[in-house]
Amino acid sequence: MNKIPLRSILKRFLKNWHIKVISLLLAGIVYVLGYYIINNPREIQIPARVILPEGYVPYSNVPSHVGVEIHADNSIKHLIDPTLIEAVIDFSFVKTEGVHIAPVKITYNTGIVKKGVIDISPKPLTVRVGFAKES
């Protein structure tokens, strides 16, 4: 049997190493781009239920809708019914005048889809509204 020396194998492997590294990097970039192009999130608008504080009136815009991003497999994300997703913005904590920030809380009933399979996140994450005392 003809044995190939270890030094020869190493020499062949390291020959044109810079081209091999560039090829691996390009393959990685193509894979990542392909993954994100195929698995882009589904974006929808849903009505927001806003809980206003007692004794205060908003003097800035109160959103009636919020955006929602649904991250899941393509086979699942288009089966999710937007009417099963609820957005709540709770300003009941407001006790002073001025601009206040509240988080957008998302609740959803996905039916047959398990919650671990999908990720639903609001856009924007928080909402700013200015309040003045009711006169």
Side-chain angles (χ1 to χ4, degrees), residues 40-51:
N40 59 344
R42 177 182 173 198
E43 296 181 16
I44 57 172
Q45 292 284 320
I46 60 169
R49 184 169 56 96
V50 181
I51 302 170

Side-chain angles (χ1 to χ4, degrees), residues 11 22 35-36 48 54 66-67 72 74 84 86 102 113 118 134:
K11 192 174 184 180
I22 291 172
Y35 178 81
Y36 283 108
E54 292 184 29
V66 293
N74 285 335
L84 299 176
E86 182 184 24
V113 180
I118 62 170
E134 205 169 40

Side-chain angles (χ1 to χ4, degrees), residues 3-15:
K3 288 187 177 182
I4 300 174
L6 182 62
R7 189 170 220 140
S8 175
I9 293 172
L10 189 60
K11 192 174 184 180
R12 280 187 181 175
F13 181 73
L14 293 176
K15 185 179 180 181

Side-chain angles (χ1 to χ4, degrees), residues 71-117:
H71 296 269
D73 289 335
N74 285 335
S75 60
I76 296 173
K77 70 181 163 191
H78 295 288
L79 297 176
I80 297 170
D81 185 4
T83 60
L84 299 176
I85 304 170
E86 182 184 24
V88 178
I89 307 168
D90 188 3
F91 283 103
S92 62
F93 65 89
V94 172
K95 303 292 182 216
T96 59
E97 292 183 317
V99 176
H100 296 277
I101 301 171
V104 178
K105 295 179 184 168
I106 300 291
T107 57
Y108 57 97
N109 179 5
T110 56
I112 60 170
V113 180
K114 294 180 182 175
K115 288 189 180 185
V117 176

